[in-house]
Amino acid sequence: MTITIQDADAVRALQGLEDDRSSVRLRAALAVGTTPDPRFVAKLIERCAIEPEFFVRDMLTWALTRHPVSMTLPELLGEVRSKRGQARSQALHTLSKIGDPQAWPVITRTLLSDADDEVARSAWRAAVVLVPEGEESALATVLATQLGRGGRETQLSLSRALVALGEATVPALLAATTAPDPRARAHALATERILRDPDAGFESAIEEAKRVVAIGGSGEEGR
């Protein structure tokens, strides 16, 4: 069997994706994305699930977006159901970059409340990109159930997702300002402030909201 130059390049690229050196893996992912080939899709997705370096994972995602959606979408939808958290998270991230509406049905309430913060954050970002017109309010209601969750980065991600939904998120945020959990109330107030004033920083908004909740306020006083 004759091995063409293209075949040899493909073999080198696929081997490079598994190299111990992150710089080599990065160059391999770049090469794969620069010259898309159906033979690369399975390996790219497989690597996304285990790649330890963020910047390499991002290049893997870029490489996947360079391939036809008809080849990548079925594989990515399967990965969203993986038991491995990183596989779910990276597949969701890639789906958000591809932006194909066919992926919307996979964004379930279970994913939006996944116990793994990275998976949940990826699901929130993907949901905002993929949500069909007219379903923004329903999505905001589900996202609002996660208010108060996690640390700063997780809360910031959720606030950004809710703010991206615009006015459709207002009823859910207003309802959350009376939630039993003070962390959820503060997070809702902070997100509402950012929605009204996009220039407001998250840190100042959340600290102000915590003070309001601590003294038993509702946030209505300063409006």
Side-chain angles (χ1 to χ4, degrees), residues 12-178:
R12 280 195 294 272
L14 290 171
Q15 290 175 338
L17 291 174
E18 297 182 343
D19 196 276
D20 290 339
R21 295 161 293 180
S22 61
S23 60
V24 174
R25 299 197 302 276
L26 182 67
R27 288 197 298 272
L30 175 62
V32 169
T34 301
T35 311
D37 186 313
R39 292 173 294 179
F40 295 142
V41 172
K43 176 58 70 174
L44 287 170
I45 291 177
E46 175 188 314
R47 190 66 208 176
C48 280
I50 59 175
E51 172 55 51
E53 298 292 343
F54 169 79
F55 58 92
V56 179
R57 291 199 301 273
D58 222 33
M59 189 65 78
L60 291 169
T61 282
W62 172 78
L64 282 166
T65 67
R66 297 270 296 157
H67 289 77
V69 174
S70 60
M71 294 179 182
T72 58
L73 189 62
E75 299 288 338
L76 290 168
L77 295 180
E79 283 294 280
V80 168
R81 302 179 181 90
S82 171
K83 293 183 179 179
R84 186 189 291 269
Q86 183 173 304
R88 299 198 302 279
S89 176
Q90 199 63 24
L92 287 163
H93 174 65
T94 305
L95 288 171
S96 74
K97 295 298 183 183
I98 292 173
D100 192 294
Q102 294 180 85
W104 170 246
V106 82
I107 309 297
T108 62
R109 191 183 188 105
T110 299
L111 272 178
L112 294 170
S113 58
D114 198 285
D116 186 316
D117 283 348
E118 287 302 314
V119 175
R121 291 172 63 188
S122 294
W124 301 337
R125 291 191 291 266
V128 168
V129 171
L130 299 171
V131 61
E133 185 177 355
E135 295 192 34
E136 294 88 351
S137 293
L139 174 59
T141 298
V142 176
L143 292 180
T145 66
Q146 303 301 298
L147 286 164
R149 169 181 174 167
R152 178 193 179 281
E153 291 303 317
T154 298
Q155 292 194 7
L156 177 57
S157 290
L158 182 57
S159 290
R160 285 174 173 167
L162 285 163
V163 168
L165 294 174
E167 291 301 311
T169 201
V170 171
L173 287 176
L174 288 176
T177 60
T178 60

